[in-house]
Amino acid sequence: MAEDVTIFYDGSNTIDVRPGRALRLTGEAYPLFRPPDPASVADPADCLEFLKNLHLSLCPVFDIRLRRWMGRYFDSVAELADQQATELAPVAGLDPATSHRAWCYAAYRPLSNTVFTCDGQRHAEPVLLWLADGPLAIRFIPSGAPETLRTVVLGDAELAAPAATFLAALGGDIDRYWSDVAAPRHPFVRSALSGLRA
């Protein structure tokens, strides 16, 4: 797997991902008519709420499990950052009491209802996370066919688990999404995060 992979998601959007490079909440364009007003997303809590609502808007209204997973994912990312606040370096230019939430921008970006071809095989997945070591499919019922892609199946119990358990169930470093990121970058406002405090 050396070439970029084009992923079709939510029925109307595409994004190109690169093997060896994780797709995170920051870094790639979002399907927006226009970007949000910088003042409305300057605070990490407001920005995360915006991203959560944006991702939920891309999920079909009647796909309850997908919508439940998507909301739970963003809530868990934020809750885990709160639990690890003393471990995460404060970000200059933000309120020291809440700047740890900016590290949430390093979380992996979930894509809903995806279709893509990887290693010559076509895949259609309810949710996809693109990690540094390749794709991770998230399903809510087993497919019954042999898996050709790394896959996690989550039932109701996993969807209701505490934040750390919910993210850990996805495997890999998803529950430590900030661990290999030098500093968080804002998804929309490039000048908002000016560095880390000493």
Side-chain angles (χ1 to χ4, degrees):
M1 219 178 14
E3 297 181 359
D4 287 4
V5 175
T6 298
I7 300 173
F8 298 85
Y9 68 101
D10 86 32
S12 60
N13 293 297
T14 61
I15 192 168
D16 291 329
V17 294
R18 177 165 295 153
R21 182 171 173 244
L23 178 65
R24 299 184 184 269
L25 292 178
T26 188
E28 303 298 331
Y30 283 90
L32 296 168
F33 179 68
R34 70 173 172 237
D37 173 47
S40 71
V41 291
D43 181 79
D46 294 337
C47 187
L48 285 171
E49 189 66 20
F50 179 89
L51 287 169
K52 175 182 171 181
N53 290 330
L54 171 62
H55 282 78
L56 283 169
S57 76
L58 299 175
C59 298
V61 173
F62 296 110
D63 194 336
I64 303 303
R65 280 194 172 161
L66 174 60
R67 295 180 65 82
R68 184 175 173 202
W69 184 91
M70 196 65 72
R72 188 80 180 96
Y73 178 76
F74 279 90
D75 291 346
S76 295
V77 162
E79 188 177 330
L80 198 58
D82 290 346
Q83 292 171 7
Q84 301 294 323
T86 58
E87 178 185 332
L88 300 171
V91 179
L94 296 176
D95 180 349
T98 59
S99 72
H100 63 275
R101 280 275 182 105
W103 286 94
C104 294
Y105 305 147
Y108 299 100
R109 179 173 167 180
L111 301 174
S112 57
N113 293 314
T114 62
V115 177
F116 63 102
T117 300
C118 186
D119 292 335
Q121 292 192 312
R122 185 178 181 276
H123 303 276
E125 303 297 342
V127 182
L128 185 76
L129 299 177
W130 189 270
L131 311 180
D133 61 352
L136 171 67
I138 297 161
R139 297 183 185 152
F140 308 111
I141 55 171
S143 70
E147 299 296 351
T148 57
L149 198 65
R150 181 173 40 171
T151 303
V152 174
V153 179
L154 300 178
D156 291 337
E158 291 84 3
L159 289 172
T165 305
F166 172 80
L167 291 177
L170 301 177
D173 67 346
I174 294 171
D175 61 338
R176 304 275 304 166
Y177 53 82
W178 61 85
S179 62
D180 59 350
V181 174
R185 291 186 335 154
H186 196 286
F188 305 109
V189 186
R190 294 297 174 221
S191 62
L193 305 181
S194 55
L196 303 180
R197 293 183 188 271

